[in-house]
């Protein structure tokens, strides 16, 4: 009786080691964080999943996912904008169901048709397309936006529901969009590499009969390397029921998030990124 249990345990450890739902961003996909330093644990939810977002056998960004609220806490990526078409295919993360499922994001119908998975089974682990149907006043809002990526594969990778929150439609198409497209372009002038972390503060309301949380705030932060000795930073925050974006220093955003989360001090970047 003991031997089969041991074999099952060893097999599970083997698959967990290969899974892209990882135990540490530092060990598995550190390249999306300045000096390989992710935000500290002050933002971690009760039931987190660290996802190295993988599409067509390549990493494109990293997401800390809140399994209970079914929204991302933050997504981290490199700012590499380029012209290109916007994808229209939404993907999910089968790996959130367990280590024996595919490690790369897939279409829902691919999982349902090819792996014998039901929508109910998939929905236990994450948000699904049905959760975002018939929204009123809300959009599927990207944390990591497709327009800040350099090719079709990287843009498609942002269309996973683990990178999406219910976002106020006026904010998503208005002030937040202006920040993503205009302010970011101005702020990144002179930058060699820009590291971005975009997040959502959980709120008190939900969609999909209590399944998916509606964030109270959305925020974005950036640390750009001008050269080997100089860096600059900036940040924004927006209430998710207003079409307004407030421009902040990195230190001001960390102060606000520390108050909003009410835990330990929030740190979003390595200490070499200036806070003022």
């Amino acid at each position: 009786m003991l031997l089969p249990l041991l074999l099952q345990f060893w097999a599970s450890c083997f698959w967990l080691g290969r899974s892209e739902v990882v135990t540490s961003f530092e060990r598995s996909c550190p390249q999306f964080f300045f000096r390989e330093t992710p935000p500290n644990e002050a933002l971690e939810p009760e039931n987190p999943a660290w996802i190295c977002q993988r599409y067509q056998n390549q990493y494109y960004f990293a997401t800390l996912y809140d399994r209970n609220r079914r929204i991302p806490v933050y997504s981290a990526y490199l700012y590499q904008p380029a012209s290109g078409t916007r994808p229209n295919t939404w993907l999910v993360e089968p790996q959130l169901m367990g280590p024996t499922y595919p490690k790369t994001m897939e279409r829902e119908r691919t999982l349902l048709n090819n792996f014998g998975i039901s929508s109910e089974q998939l929905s236990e682990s994450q948000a699904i397309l049905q959760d975002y149907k018939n929204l009123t006043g809300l959009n599927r809002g990207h944390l990591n936006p497709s327009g800040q990526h350099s090719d079709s594969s990287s843009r498609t990778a942002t269309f996973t529901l683990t990178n999406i929150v219910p976002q106020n439609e006026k904010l998503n198409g208005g002030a937040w969009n202006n920040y993503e497209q205009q302010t970011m372009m101005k702020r990144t002038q002179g930058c060699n590499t820009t590291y971005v972390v975009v997040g959502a503060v959980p709120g008190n309301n939900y969609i999909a009969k209590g399944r998916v949380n509606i964030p109270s705030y959305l925020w974005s932060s950036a640390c750009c390397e001008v050269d080997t000795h100089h860096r600059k930073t900036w940040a924004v925050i927006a209430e998710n029921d207003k079409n307004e974006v407030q421009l902040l220093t990195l230190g001001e955003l960390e102060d606000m998030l520390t108050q909003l989360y009410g835990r330990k001090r929030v740190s979003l970047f390595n200490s070499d990124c200036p806070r003022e």
Side-chain angles (χ1 to χ4, degrees), residues 15-200:
W15 280 106
L16 283 169
R18 296 184 59 205
S19 174
E20 307 314 303
V21 173
V22 299
T23 57
S24 165
F25 286 141
E26 292 95 329
R27 287 196 296 270
S28 301
C29 51
Q31 66 268 34
F32 302 113
F33 304 94
F34 175 71
R35 301 241 165 117
E36 301 186 352
T37 306
N40 68 348
E41 63 272 19
L43 298 179
E44 289 179 14
E46 181 180 327
N47 190 8
W50 292 265
I51 307 173
C52 292
Q53 300 281 16
R54 182 170 171 162
Y55 178 67
Q56 293 184 343
N57 208 33
Q58 184 172 337
Y59 293 138
Y60 287 106
F61 62 106
T63 298
L64 178 61
Y65 190 69
D66 186 334
R67 293 176 182 265
N68 291 349
R69 296 183 178 95
R70 295 182 176 87
I71 58 170
V73 178
Y74 64 75
S75 288
Y77 62 96
L78 299 179
Y79 178 75
Q80 298 173 320
S83 59
T85 58
R86 179 182 170 91
N88 58 11
T89 298
W90 290 95
L91 304 168
V92 292
E93 295 287 349
Q95 56 185 321
L96 286 174
M97 293 186 295
T100 59
Y101 293 101
K103 296 180 290 184
T104 59
M105 51 187 79
E106 300 279 358
R107 297 184 186 187
E108 276 188 36
R109 68 169 179 263
T110 299
L111 292 173
L112 301 182
N113 294 339
N114 298 346
F115 290 87
I117 297 168
S118 67
S119 294
E120 291 74 18
Q121 184 180 0
L122 179 63
S123 69
E124 290 176 2
S125 63
Q126 61 200 279
I128 60 174
L129 285 171
Q130 181 64 37
D131 294 326
Y132 282 90
K133 287 188 175 180
N134 303 317
L135 295 179
T136 301
L138 297 167
N139 289 156
R140 287 176 282 199
H142 286 71
L143 293 193
N144 177 358
S146 65
Q148 295 185 5
H149 291 270
S150 60
D151 56 48
S152 61
S153 292
S154 57
R155 287 190 290 271
T156 298
T158 67
F159 273 68
T160 169
L161 292 182
T162 53
N163 180 46
I164 300 299
V165 298
Q167 185 176 8
N168 179 282
E169 63 180 1
K170 292 182 180 178
L171 175 63
N172 191 25
W176 194 261
N177 183 62
N178 291 340
Y179 171 72
E180 289 180 337
Q181 297 197 17
Q182 298 175 22
T183 307
M184 280 291 288
M185 185 174 294
K186 293 176 183 177
R187 289 270 170 167
T188 54
Q189 289 180 2
C191 296
N192 285 324
T193 306
T194 301
Y195 296 85
V196 184
V197 182
V198 185

Side-chain angles (χ1 to χ4, degrees), residues 171 174-180 183 187 217-222 234-240 242-257 259-260:
L171 175 63
W176 194 261
N177 183 62
N178 291 340
Y179 171 72
E180 289 180 337
T183 307
R187 289 270 170 167
Y217 291 84
L218 283 87
W219 53 269
S220 181
S221 58
W234 60 92
V236 294
I237 195 166
E239 293 183 65
N240 197 22
K242 298 177 183 177
N243 185 20
E244 300 174 7
V245 169
Q246 182 181 2
L247 187 62
L248 305 169
T249 65
L250 175 58
E252 288 171 337
L253 176 61
E254 291 177 335
D255 288 343
M256 288 191 69
L257 294 178
Q259 293 179 352
L260 288 168

